[in-house]
Amino acid sequence: MENLFDIELTLRLLGLDFVRHALLASALLGLVAGALGPLIVMRRMAFAVHGTAELAFTGAAAALLLGMVFDGIAVEYGAIAGAVLAALLLGILGGRSAERDSVIGVVLAFGLGVGVLLLWLYPGRAHTQLGLFIGQVISIDRTNLAVYAVSTVAVLGVLALLYRPLLFASADPVVAAARGVPVSLLTPLFAVLVGIATALGVQTVGMLLVLALLVTPAAAACRVTSSPTRAIVLAIAFAELAVLGGIVLSLAPGVPISAFVTAISFAIYLSCRLVEHLRARVRKRKEADAPEGVATAGAAAPAADR
């Protein structure tokens, strides 16, 4: 417990190369997670993120096993391949909202079962296997960092090009389809973007807790603003605070960062819910104190003004 507040040790560790690599990679992940998060929340894809993480874990486990035979097969490559495959399956098979949850459950169970088998076949260290579940961000080197950078540029570039139709399709897919927006194409494409982000998150916070970065910061942001642009900015800020703060706090005690990342994310979420509650109370009090005509006009004000 004393090491948790050892500032001198934390500062020394921050000067090490592998820690700087971890911070850079996590900052890139926070950027991607925050940018995609509000759309994930708007499209109600939190469960899909968890299902995608299962096959990202399976791909990472396969990469561990194949890496013993073929050199150069890194864990993040397997995680990205598995996550993209899962995203395509969820996007194609779960196109109808009525059957989406059942498709995600099928993919989730299949991915976890195969992943457990692959880990059982892998004769390497147990610590490496555990890292797939809870994250192993300190193992990131220059090669891993390059993968993170390329993936971040690719995801953000595609998101920037497709943001307006994606936002329209997320807010009202029926009307978007009627207006000519290719919703059936955007759904699997966005799922692939989420899959790549999920794969990057598996190495940072692990398969079990990837929701802490892809969903929680965005869910918190959506509690305090209904503006999509402001929600993205806030979600990025919250995700960066959670992941970078989690790394810094985990250095001195030497524990997995996932515990700190999830704790910070949850604290941010609760704080945003409190802000939302206080705003609602203030608004009701103003409406109660205002004259009847003014109160009616205030109640009709759009929520987007928040």
Side-chain angles (χ1 to χ4, degrees):
M1 191 66 182
E2 294 178 358
N3 286 338
L4 181 61
F5 304 102
D6 193 335
I7 299 177
E8 183 179 351
L9 176 58
T10 299
L11 292 176
R12 287 205 307 268
L13 291 173
L14 285 172
L16 300 178
D17 286 341
F18 74 88
V19 175
R20 289 198 292 266
H21 292 160
L23 290 171
L24 287 173
S26 298
L28 293 173
L29 174 62
L31 183 60
V32 173
L36 293 175
L39 289 174
I40 292 174
V41 173
M42 189 179 298
R43 298 170 75 95
R44 299 178 181 179
M45 290 180 61
F47 189 35
V49 171
H50 187 54
T52 303
E54 302 294 346
L55 278 189
F57 154 73
T58 303
L64 279 177
L65 195 60
L66 292 174
M68 301 183 61
V69 181
F70 305 100
D71 292 332
I73 300 180
V75 170
E76 62 270 18
Y77 296 141
I80 291 175
V84 169
L85 175 62
L88 288 173
L89 288 174
L90 296 179
I92 295 172
L93 299 179
R96 298 178 181 177
S97 57
E99 61 184 12
R100 188 171 299 153
D101 282 352
S102 60
V103 171
I104 294 172
V106 170
V107 173
L108 186 152
F110 170 73
L112 185 58
V114 174
V116 169
L117 174 62
L118 293 174
L119 276 190
W120 179 77
L121 294 172
Y122 176 67
R125 295 180 301 169
H127 181 69
T128 303
Q129 299 172 346
L130 184 64
L132 298 181
F133 289 96
I134 62 173
Q136 199 173 13
V137 70
I138 61 172
S139 64
I140 294 176
D141 55 20
R142 290 183 181 273
T143 302
N144 304 131
L145 194 57
V147 174
Y148 270 69
V150 171
S151 300
T152 299
V153 172
V155 170
L156 295 182
V158 174
L159 182 63
L161 289 173
L162 301 177
Y163 178 72
R164 288 179 66 86
L166 267 174
L167 181 62
F168 190 10
S170 301
D172 196 332
V174 176
V175 176
R179 292 289 184 87
V181 176
V183 176
S184 59
L185 178 63
L186 289 176
T187 297
L189 182 57
F190 181 71
V192 169
L193 298 182
V194 173
I196 295 174
T198 302
L200 300 180
V202 166
Q203 188 165 1
T204 305
V205 295
M207 176 268 292
L208 296 176
L209 300 174
V210 71
L211 291 175
L213 283 180
L214 284 170
V215 176
T216 308
C222 291
R223 285 284 176 176
V224 295
T225 181
S226 57
S227 166
T229 302
R230 286 197 290 268
I232 288 178
V233 173
L234 285 175
I236 291 174
F238 294 160
E240 296 288 3
L241 176 61
V243 70
L244 296 179
I247 290 177
V248 173
L249 290 176
S250 69
L251 289 176
V255 300
I257 74 164
S258 52
F260 292 102
V261 172
T262 53
I264 295 173
S265 297
F266 189 60
I268 292 172
Y269 178 74
L270 290 180
S271 299
C272 288
R273 288 196 67 123
L274 177 61
V275 170
E276 179 190 34
H277 175 69
L278 293 176
R279 279 181 173 178
R281 290 186 60 182
V282 171
R283 188 162 54 247
K284 289 180 180 179
R285 187 176 303 155
K286 287 181 177 179
E287 292 173 359
D289 294 341
E292 183 177 351
V294 177
T296 303
D305 291 340
R306 285 187 291 166

